[in-house]
Amino acid sequence: MNMPKLDLGEIQGDVLTGMQKDAELFLFFKIADANRFKNLTSDLVIGRVVAARRVRERERIVLQRPSSAAREPWLGLNLGFTMDGMTRLLGPRRPAMDPAFERGAAHPETIALLNDPPVTTWLADYRSDRIDGVFLITGPDPSFVTHHGNLLRQLLEPAISVVTAELGTVRPGRYRGREHFGFVDGISTPGIRGLTRVSRPGIAPDEGLPGQDLVWPGEFVLGYPGQNPKDPNKAGPTQPLPAPWAKNGSYMVFRRLEQRVPEFRRFVATEAARLGMYPDLLAARMLGRWRSGAPLELAPLDDNTLLAANDKRNNDFGYAGDPFQRACPYAAHIRKANPRDDPAEGKAGTLTHRIIRAGIAFGPEVAPGETQTMHPRGLMFVCYQASIGRQFEFIQSGYADNPDFVGGKRRPDNHRPVVPGFDPIIGQAKGNGARSMDEPAPNYPAGNRRTVLDMPDEFVIVTASGYFFMPSITGLRTLLS
Ligand code: N7H
């Protein structure tokens, strides 16, 4: 099949590459007057929505500037709608879209499927009767995005009313690029066929950077061929569009995830002492990478910061060569969230469950003496995909929350079956129940010491969630006409 050519001038900018963001304002709104909203947004806002092409041009400039240079005052603006918002725009007889999107993040079935905490425990602001849409406003600092958020409100209110606004910011100074538990984030992201540069065309034509699988674009953007679930390199079908305006659109999952950082640190220190290992190694066994970003598969017992910093090496691994979780536990966050070549059916299946992550941290640094979380902080998790059910929801419920995944593993000594346990970072048990993971202490390169990590409490708490559709630029024009 010919390589699909992506309409980069059409696809919203956050979807494929992530807009440049040192700060991001999420403006969740309700449409109060649909006609006025349509007129105002068509006339004054769509022209400012940043598409993928612009984001990529900016990225080229970022790569050329010295890392110490001041951030450019670039505004990023994207816009998405919930199923309620789509109904406000198109009326109740609009075409049905992705089934999970139509169910919505707050639906009892979604809550049950993901083992999410009940909506009554979510942050009060999100428990509005309705959220119709979200503006993503990105820029170099909080005052910039807040200013542009205020301008947008002046343009659109009272045709919209803002339900809640949230600010995400990258962490300061040397913590830049790290999430609040201290791990470098944003290392592993799927490559996209027809877009991502192949770094070694002669040797590895199906990879971007070494270890970065190329995925067919229909997994993330509607109207293109997706993955073939039987062959990692072949295209699968192009899913039918609900309507022509859906072409070049994508579904976004938003989750406001609070992280209990002092509690996580204390737990890791106490349990590491119990298990007789040093805390950084236990934290790495829970995540699958060291805080530096070095993967356990390549650095099983000691951190390796040179490896971590080398993007030609830091993602170049699989799990098939580690069948007994000696280097990396089956339940480690990255082994669960992207099992690569581990499942018995091989890599082709895994590639149908990939997502593009584009979140940002929020909240202050841990204050001196803050031994129990006093100030909310965490991750505004954002991911993009073509099917929320097959991608985000599958990762959460089929992998992270499923103690039996990855299946079919046996102990090396007695061949008994292994229950890998929960993803210690994002896994959730029913009713907020206790979780455990297998083999926190490494048996590397050999050994058969059996250990279990019991986790009575979660370190990541869902405090709000939403499913959005991010139309193309032409899609926006059609929906708002
Ligand atoms: Fe995760 N963390 O810092 O602990 N994640 N994540 N995630 N995550 C990854 O490889 C983290 C969350 C994925 O391809 C890294 O880029 C935290 C959700 C996937 O090998 C780190 C939270 C979901 C990958 C974290 C959180 C995922 C991944 C390693 C919540 C989906 C790529 C850096 C507060 C349901 C795996 C990297 C691969 C990597 C962390 C949430 C999915 C450090 C703190 C909700 C697919």
Side-chain angles (χ1 to χ4, degrees), residues 447-467:
N448 287 302
R449 180 183 170 207
R450 299 277 84 88
T451 53
V452 172
L453 187 67
D454 287 315
M455 299 169 283
D457 301 312
E458 290 168 354
F459 310 107
V460 170
I461 320 277
V462 179
T463 52
S465 179
Y467 293 166

Side-chain angles (χ1 to χ4, degrees), residues 179 183 186-188 259 287 289 333 338 340 357 381 426:
E179 54 65 61
F183 296 96
I187 301 170
S188 176
Q259 290 175 249
L287 193 95
R289 289 185 187 269
H333 175 57
N338 176 17
R340 301 184 184 219
R357 294 173 296 138
F381 174 84
I426 60 163

Side-chain angles (χ1 to χ4, degrees), residues 299-381:
L301 294 180
D302 290 296
D303 193 4
N304 180 341
T305 50
L306 281 180
L307 164 66
N310 184 343
D311 65 2
K312 295 195 178 57
R313 290 183 61 213
N314 65 14
N315 204 31
D316 194 11
F317 61 90
Y319 300 107
D322 182 20
F324 301 118
Q325 61 180 337
R326 293 193 187 281
C328 178
Y330 304 131
H333 175 57
I334 66 160
R335 191 164 179 166
K336 280 271 189 183
N338 176 17
R340 301 184 184 219
D341 54 357
D342 207 16
E345 72 273 14
K347 197 163 70 175
T350 329
L351 293 184
T352 63
H353 305 298
R354 301 300 313 273
I355 49 175
I356 296 182
R357 294 173 296 138
I360 188 165
F362 72 91
E365 295 297 298
V366 175
E370 188 181 348
T371 52
Q372 233 188 335
T373 299
M374 306 290 287
H375 309 284
R377 64 176 66 77
L379 181 69
M380 301 291 183
F381 174 84

Side-chain angles (χ1 to χ4, degrees), residues 260-271:
R260 319 275 294 167
V261 180
E263 290 81 352
F264 177 78
R265 288 181 190 157
R266 194 171 42 249
F267 175 85
V268 168
T270 313
E271 288 300 302

Side-chain angles (χ1 to χ4, degrees), residues 69 71 78-79 112 124 149 152 179 189 198 211 233 268 274 276 324 348 351 374 407 412 418 433 450 452:
R71 312 276 144 207
N78 276 188
L79 167 59
L152 196 66
E179 54 65 61
T189 184
V198 174
N233 300 331
V268 168
R274 178 182 69 83
F324 301 118
L351 293 184
M374 306 290 287
V418 180
R450 299 277 84 88
V452 172

